Amino acid sequence: MAVYKKTYRPYEGELTSPLKRLLVIPRYAFEDLHRSKFLTIFFCATFLQPLIFAIIIYVQHNATVFNLVGAQGANRLISINVVFFMSSLGWQSMLALFLASFIGPGQVSPDLANNALALYLARPFSRTEYVLGKMSVLLILLSAMTWVPGLLLFSYQGYLEGWDWMKTNVRFATAIFFGAWIWILILSLLALALSAWVKWKPAAGGLMFGVFFVAAGFGATINAVQRTNWGHLFNISYLIGSVWVWLFEGNNKTTNGAVFFRAPQGEELPLWCSWAALAVLCLICLYMLARKIRGTEVVK
């Protein structure tokens, strides 16, 4: 309205709590995702692997099952050890990449394409709250796919094996939790950053795979041409795998990582390099978000 009329009055009523304002974005985002039958089916299908692993744990502790099929002693063929839990986390984390590539690009790009950020930020809603609200959608879904079923498998194995086993292998539980969260944060930040800069959702989703697979190929080319191992710094799967190996086993390494997330033996980089490369990737994503998540946009 015209300024000279001086009839505008700011809102002086009671404001809702910051938490309630923050939950507005994921609430409507989940409603939109629920309308997609493909995403719903895919998300439900991701729990098939933890179910199979839970059946393996059950069968491992019930010799009567093997006696019924005449396979006595077959329980020794499968060991519930570090490889078992790391493989479970690896499979679920790879599926999390596919899910993040589908739903991540659609979180920020529609708001930027339709100039809707000004409507968000004109309200008592900061840029940080906006990013956290959008990111919470990915954090909740990816958590339900990775560390939640991983800890349930660990708890189920501990329930059947006994308290002594849980105390001895508590490192597995902490590795599942922190290892999954490292992967979730990287996926979430990368998906939102690409969504903010690439407004076409299919292109942003394809670029998610490009960052992982094309960058890994570029790193492998550097290793082959320069005869070095420093090209692995461009391979996010390698970086995650090396961190996971340390989380699960410490300095006493017996494996080279999980499926899809391997650090080949003989090609190891110092652990601090993997941490530093992942931290730099997160900072780059935060910088990209800070440049794009603004109430106004200056077009030259």
Side-chain angles (χ1 to χ4, degrees), residues 75 94 112 134 173 175 189 275:
N75 58 342
M94 192 62 186
L112 291 173
K134 293 293 185 179
L189 289 174
W275 285 107

Side-chain angles (χ1 to χ4, degrees), residues 26-40:
R27 184 180 68 187
Y28 286 100
F30 282 126
E31 290 182 359
D32 292 337
L33 294 175
H34 184 66
R35 297 190 186 100
S36 175
K37 294 182 179 179
F38 172 76
L39 289 177
T40 302

Side-chain angles (χ1 to χ4, degrees), residues 9-89:
R9 294 291 183 273
Y11 176 75
E12 297 178 353
E14 183 180 358
L15 296 178
T16 57
S17 64
L19 180 59
K20 288 185 178 180
R21 295 198 298 267
L22 186 66
L23 294 178
V24 170
I25 292 179
R27 184 180 68 187
Y28 286 100
F30 282 126
E31 290 182 359
D32 292 337
L33 294 175
H34 184 66
R35 297 190 186 100
S36 175
K37 294 182 179 179
F38 172 76
L39 289 177
T40 302
I41 295 174
F42 178 81
F43 180 72
C44 294
T46 58
F47 295 98
L48 182 61
Q49 184 266 346
L51 178 60
I52 295 175
F53 274 48
I55 294 174
I56 292 175
I57 293 176
Y58 172 78
V59 173
Q60 187 79 3
H61 293 84
N62 289 269
T64 56
V65 177
F66 293 102
N67 294 331
L68 289 175
V69 297
Q72 293 82 358
N75 58 342
R76 291 190 295 268
L77 297 177
I78 301 177
S79 299
I80 312 299
N81 52 16
V82 61
V83 177
F84 181 87
F85 291 104
M86 199 183 298
S87 298
S88 175
L89 181 60

Side-chain angles (χ1 to χ4, degrees), residues 9-297:
R9 294 291 183 273
Y11 176 75
E12 297 178 353
E14 183 180 358
L15 296 178
T16 57
S17 64
L19 180 59
K20 288 185 178 180
R21 295 198 298 267
L22 186 66
L23 294 178
V24 170
I25 292 179
R27 184 180 68 187
Y28 286 100
F30 282 126
E31 290 182 359
D32 292 337
L33 294 175
H34 184 66
R35 297 190 186 100
S36 175
K37 294 182 179 179
F38 172 76
L39 289 177
T40 302
I41 295 174
F42 178 81
F43 180 72
C44 294
T46 58
F47 295 98
L48 182 61
Q49 184 266 346
L51 178 60
I52 295 175
F53 274 48
I55 294 174
I56 292 175
I57 293 176
Y58 172 78
V59 173
Q60 187 79 3
H61 293 84
N62 289 269
T64 56
V65 177
F66 293 102
N67 294 331
L68 289 175
V69 297
Q72 293 82 358
N75 58 342
R76 291 190 295 268
L77 297 177
I78 301 177
S79 299
I80 312 299
N81 52 16
V82 61
V83 177
F84 181 87
F85 291 104
M86 199 183 298
S87 298
S88 175
L89 181 60
W91 278 103
Q92 293 301 105
S93 297
M94 192 62 186
L95 295 176
L97 170 61
F98 283 92
L99 186 66
S101 300
F102 282 122
I103 66 176
Q107 297 301 311
V108 179
S109 57
D111 296 338
L112 291 173
N114 297 286
N115 297 320
L117 274 180
L119 299 177
Y120 282 100
L121 302 180
R123 291 163 173 78
F125 211 76
S126 65
R127 294 194 300 169
T128 302
E129 290 175 329
Y130 174 82
V131 173
L132 290 177
K134 293 293 185 179
M135 187 183 296
S136 63
V137 179
L138 292 167
L139 297 181
I140 294 172
L141 292 177
L142 300 185
S143 294
M145 292 176 56
T146 53
W147 64 268
V148 172
L151 291 184
L152 288 176
L153 289 176
F154 176 84
S155 301
Y156 186 44
Q157 168 68 9
Y159 170 74
L160 296 177
E161 192 71 26
W163 177 248
D164 291 336
W165 183 91
M166 294 189 70
K167 290 192 298 182
T168 305
N169 299 281
V170 68
R171 190 183 184 101
F172 295 168
T174 58
I176 291 171
F177 181 79
F178 290 107
W181 268 111
I182 293 171
W183 177 240
I184 290 171
L185 290 175
I186 290 175
L187 280 182
S188 301
L189 289 174
L190 188 59
L192 292 183
L194 294 178
S195 177
W197 282 79
V198 183
K199 297 181 180 180
W200 190 37
K201 291 192 292 184
L207 195 57
M208 278 282 292
F209 290 99
V211 169
F212 285 94
F213 298 107
V214 176
F218 177 71
T221 302
I222 293 178
N223 290 338
V225 173
Q226 300 295 329
R227 295 182 180 180
T228 181
N229 295 328
W230 292 102
H232 288 310
L233 291 176
F234 295 93
N235 190 344
I236 300 177
S237 299
Y238 172 92
L239 300 176
I240 294 293
S242 61
V243 170
W244 282 2
V245 170
W246 179 79
L247 288 174
F248 273 91
E249 300 185 286
N251 296 324
N252 300 320
K253 299 179 181 179
T254 60
T255 63
N256 60 353
V259 57
F260 305 119
F261 301 90
R262 296 195 182 279
Q265 295 181 356
E267 301 180 13
E268 295 89 350
L269 295 177
L271 182 63
W272 68 267
C273 293
S274 298
W275 285 107
L278 293 176
V280 169
L281 178 60
C282 292
L283 292 176
I284 292 174
C285 293
L286 290 174
Y287 174 77
M288 294 172 64
L289 287 171
R291 289 292 304 272
K292 281 294 183 180
I293 307 301
R294 295 180 177 181
T296 59
E297 182 178 359

